[in-house]
Amino acid sequence: MAKAERADRTMQLNLPTALTLLRIALIPVFVGVFFLPFPGANLCCTMLFGLAALTDWLDGYLARRLRQTSAFGAFLDPVADKLMVTAALVLLVQVISTPLIAAVAVIIIGREIAISALREWMAQIGDHGQMAVSSVGKLKTTVQMIAVLLLLYREPIGAFPTLEAGIGLLLIAAALTLWSMLHYLLAAWPAL
């Protein structure tokens, strides 16, 4: 198969990739709504982030179910996730401006950059199989998404302390972040 034909197949737009692109397109909308001074802006931001999280799950499910996986989709999906979570964490540091939240945001964002760079390097040396997503990484992502949703909303829901629960879950996500980073570093250690 010619190189151009392979490139066409990997760059083909399908439903899972379109959902990933939608997630990226939601980022400026999410940021814009975050700064709009109207009642319910936090609810709108929470819903936008929730929609992005839903498309993250849905694009992976559809890619497997419809057999529409592609190299481009596999590249773009984690980039979209990291962009959305990073945007949310940076915004949250502005409204929950404590050293603890800032430190947790740095840990999570720093881990994402470090592991992305490590994955890229492992792929370049032909050893990317060691960098498959672990169950700890999936758990970290789930806890992190729930924490961000709670922190974006921030208002109590009845007697449920949304802000405090979100901070607690974000701390758990930070611990899982460090644990999963250690897992990836240990997996890559022989190549390092």
Side-chain angles (χ1 to χ4, degrees):
M1 182 180 303
K3 194 175 192 177
E5 289 174 334
R6 279 194 304 253
D8 285 344
R9 277 193 12 189
T10 58
M11 295 288 288
Q12 181 179 3
L13 184 64
N14 55 33
L15 183 56
T17 303
L19 287 171
T20 302
L21 290 170
L22 171 65
R23 191 158 64 253
I24 292 171
L26 283 174
I27 294 170
V29 175
F30 169 74
V31 172
V33 169
F34 184 88
F35 287 108
L36 289 176
F38 69 92
N42 62 328
L43 177 59
C44 288
C45 280
T46 305
M47 292 172 59
L48 284 168
F49 190 86
L51 177 62
L54 180 63
T55 65
D56 180 27
W57 171 81
L58 189 59
D59 68 16
Y61 172 78
L62 290 174
R64 289 184 299 276
R65 179 90 170 149
L66 302 174
R67 295 190 177 124
Q68 293 183 345
T69 58
S70 68
F72 180 64
F75 156 75
L76 194 61
D77 182 61
V79 170
D81 300 344
K82 288 164 184 43
L83 289 172
M84 191 69 180
V85 168
T86 299
L89 289 172
V90 168
L91 296 174
L92 285 170
V93 166
Q94 289 194 355
V95 293
I96 310 169
S97 56
T98 66
L100 179 64
I101 297 299
V104 168
V106 168
I107 288 168
I108 292 171
I109 294 168
R111 179 261 188 206
E112 296 303 343
I113 293 168
I115 296 305
S116 293
L118 183 61
R119 280 189 175 130
E120 175 71 22
W121 182 70
M122 294 293 286
Q124 285 181 1
I125 65 168
D127 200 7
H128 55 79
Q130 297 292 329
M131 299 303 294
V133 175
S134 70
S135 57
V136 175
K138 290 179 182 181
L139 177 61
K140 180 252 337 163
T141 300
T142 302
V143 172
Q144 180 178 276
M145 294 294 190
I146 295 168
V148 170
L149 285 167
L150 292 172
L151 291 172
L152 285 168
Y153 189 68
R154 290 184 305 283
E155 295 176 18
I157 301 172
F160 182 70
T162 306
L163 178 64
E164 292 79 5
I167 290 171
L169 286 175
L170 196 63
L171 292 173
I172 292 169
L176 290 170
T177 293
L178 293 172
W179 183 10
S180 70
M181 185 169 81
L182 179 62
H183 168 81
Y184 287 121
L185 289 172
L186 290 174
W189 188 253
L192 295 173

